[in-house]
């Protein structure tokens, strides 16, 4: 059996049925004397729900996927030329194509008995967006052999399953898994860095708010001191006015007595 054909077949299988199908094919390959191919098949990773849906979209709605991926070149030209109007139009087109593909994926998921969850939809959208933004991600999507969702945060996410095993059999497969693990580690580092930047921004905002509150507190304290001084002056003036009034009353009483 052709290993490429077996791999293509397996990555169209729903995730829940992947492992039994993979093991059955590996057993058939071993029985046919294709031990190296059987070993390679046994190590194929089970696709996530989002990755499987992308693989199905490539097979069942390939023209729509191609139209989406073709936007990458147009985006690059518009960005290079600083054409903001063109970029806005391309963004609208990208959103419409992604929404259409997500709708197709929802139908595929329902037909398979697994309605599209919000989490899987986010991973699906992220993978399609990454394929527009990154050439490697686009190639991985086109392969129809994704094992995990992709994201674009400076590095591609998880690579597609290799089309053919390299020389070295199991060792090459281990190298592929190592490359995938490295990609995942890079993605995790990028996410951690983004989280760190958000935390720093929040701390900076809190410090600014605290400084503003302290300044407002100082202004309020200054106003209170001024009010206290004004009250003291008013009290003094009132006491002086009352004393003057008493003097006038006493003077008038004295004049009356005389």
């Amino acid at each position: 059996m052709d290993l490429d054909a077996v791999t293509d077949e397996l990555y169209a299988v729903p995730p829940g049925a992947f492992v039994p199908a993979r093991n059955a094919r590996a057993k058939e390959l071993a029985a046919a004397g294709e031990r190296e191919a059987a070993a390679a098949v046994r190590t194929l990773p089970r696709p996530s729900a989002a990755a499987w849906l992308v693989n199905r979209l490539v097979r069942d709605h390939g023209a729509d996927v191609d139209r989406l991926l073709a936007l990458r070149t147009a985006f690059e030209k518009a960005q290079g030329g600083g054409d903001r109007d063109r970029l806005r139009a391309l963004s609208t087109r990208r959103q419409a194509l992604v929404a259409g593909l997500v709708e197709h994926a929802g139908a595929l998921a329902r037909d398979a008995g697994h309605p599209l969850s919000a989490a899987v939809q986010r991973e699906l959208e992220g993978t399609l967006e990454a394929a527009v933004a990154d050439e490697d991600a686009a190639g991985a999507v086109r392969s129809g052999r994704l094992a995990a969702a992709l994201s674009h945060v400076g590095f591609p996410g998880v690579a597609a399953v290799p089309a053919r095993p390299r020389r070295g059999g199991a060792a090459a497969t281990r190298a592929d898994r190592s490359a995938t693990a490295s990609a995942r580690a890079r993605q995790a580092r990028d996410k951690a860095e983004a989280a760190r930047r958000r935390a720093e921004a929040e701390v900076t905002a809190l410090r600014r708010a605290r400084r503003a509150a302290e300044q407002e507190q100082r202004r309020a304290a200054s106003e209170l001191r001024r009010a206290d001084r004004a009250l003291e002056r008013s009290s003094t003036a009132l006491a002086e006015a009352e004393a003057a009034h008493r003097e006038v009353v006493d003077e008038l009483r004295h004049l009356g007595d005389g």
Side-chain angles (χ1 to χ4, degrees), residues 212-254:
E214 290 173 347
Q215 291 173 356
E216 184 62 29
Q217 186 178 18
R218 287 194 293 270
R219 283 195 294 271
S222 177
E223 290 291 337
L224 181 60
R225 287 193 295 272
R226 284 197 291 271
D228 286 341
R229 289 194 292 270
L231 179 60
E232 184 179 352
R233 289 194 296 271
S234 296
S235 298
T236 300
L238 178 60
E240 291 174 350
E242 290 175 343
H245 176 70
R246 285 193 297 273
E247 289 178 0
V248 169
V249 170
D250 290 342
E251 181 68 23
L252 289 174
R253 186 181 297 113
H254 177 71

Side-chain angles (χ1 to χ4, degrees), residues 4 9 22 71 99 104 113 156 167 196 228 251 254 258:
D4 279 349
E9 173 194 326
R22 180 193 65 190
L71 293 179
H104 290 320
R167 292 182 180 179
R196 184 186 65 79
D228 286 341
E251 181 68 23
H254 177 71

Side-chain angles (χ1 to χ4, degrees), residues 22 57 89 91 179 186 190 235:
R22 180 193 65 190
L57 287 173
S91 295
R186 288 195 299 269
D190 290 336
S235 298

Side-chain angles (χ1 to χ4, degrees), residues 19-87:
V19 173
R22 180 193 65 190
N23 294 344
R25 281 303 193 186
K27 186 176 180 180
E28 292 172 5
L29 286 166
E34 298 288 344
R35 296 185 180 280
E36 185 174 326
V41 167
R42 287 193 188 95
T43 60
L44 292 176
R46 176 180 180 271
S48 67
W52 168 69
L53 285 171
V54 172
N55 295 338
R56 284 294 306 273
L57 287 173
V58 170
R59 290 163 174 76
D60 297 358
H61 300 280
D64 290 335
V65 174
D66 287 341
R67 278 190 283 271
L68 175 67
L69 300 186
L71 293 179
R72 186 174 60 82
T73 301
F75 266 109
E76 290 176 350
K77 290 181 180 179
Q79 288 168 349
D83 190 341
R84 295 185 179 180
D85 291 338
R86 178 61 173 161
L87 286 171

Side-chain angles (χ1 to χ4, degrees), residues 116-141:
L116 191 64
S117 69
V120 172
Q121 180 174 331
R122 286 193 297 271
E123 290 184 352
L124 176 61
E125 291 170 345
T127 298
L128 295 173
E129 294 281 356
V132 178
D134 183 89
E135 184 176 2
D136 290 338
V141 166

Side-chain angles (χ1 to χ4, degrees), residues 160-184:
V161 174
R164 297 179 184 275
R166 302 186 186 96
R167 292 182 180 179
T173 302
R174 286 194 297 273
D176 292 330
R177 289 201 301 270
S178 177
T180 297
S182 296
R184 285 176 174 157

